[in-house]
Amino acid sequence: MYPRKVRKRSDSKLNTAFINQVIAALKSDPSKLAVIQKNLEQYRSQRHLKRGFLLAIERFDWVFEASDDVNFICEQILADDYIGNRLRRYPLLFKGVISEQ
């Protein structure tokens, strides 16, 4: 048989740059984690969300339950695993973390 070809989805450069800015903002000001938690509450209260978005909210809840350390949370966001990929797929969860000057 032929070996299965596994396609790795590449993150867009724009999304990667945004996530890197979010990580830098969180590390410089850990109080911005409250912005993410507020976003989670806001989206959780909405009625009709895609299943994937709801899973991302649930995974973020898991990360916050595991630790409130900003470095741990940033590592989870950047992780190349299921949770990290799920969190990075929905940049709306990070809305308001990067303040426009």
Side-chain angles (χ1 to χ4, degrees):
M1 288 288 157
Y2 299 106
R4 290 189 83 203
K5 185 175 182 178
V6 177
R7 273 196 263 167
K8 180 163 173 45
R9 177 192 271 184
S10 64
D11 291 335
S12 74
K13 291 182 181 179
L14 186 61
N15 190 29
T16 303
F18 175 74
I19 295 296
N20 288 334
Q21 289 175 346
V22 166
I23 297 299
L26 288 174
K27 286 187 176 183
S28 68
D29 185 7
S31 67
K32 293 196 178 214
L33 289 174
V35 173
I36 294 175
Q37 290 175 326
K38 187 185 85 173
N39 289 341
L40 293 176
E41 287 301 319
Q42 175 189 353
Y43 290 121
R44 192 179 291 117
S45 69
Q46 292 183 9
R47 250 185 173 187
H48 304 287
L49 290 177
K50 288 185 175 183
R51 188 175 190 289
F53 199 83
L54 290 171
L55 283 172
I57 291 170
E58 183 180 318
R59 298 312 181 257
F60 234 134
D61 288 338
W62 289 3
V63 170
F64 279 120
E65 283 181 28
S67 175
D68 60 354
D69 177 47
V70 70
N71 292 320
F72 174 79
I73 294 169
C74 290
E75 287 174 13
Q76 291 300 310
I77 294 169
L78 292 174
D80 193 24
D81 60 4
Y82 174 76
I83 292 177
N85 291 332
R86 176 70 57 188
L87 298 180
R88 289 190 306 272
R89 189 176 299 163
Y90 298 97
L92 276 177
L93 296 174
F94 306 105
K95 181 176 71 174
V97 173
I98 301 173
S99 56
E100 301 293 326
Q101 275 98 2

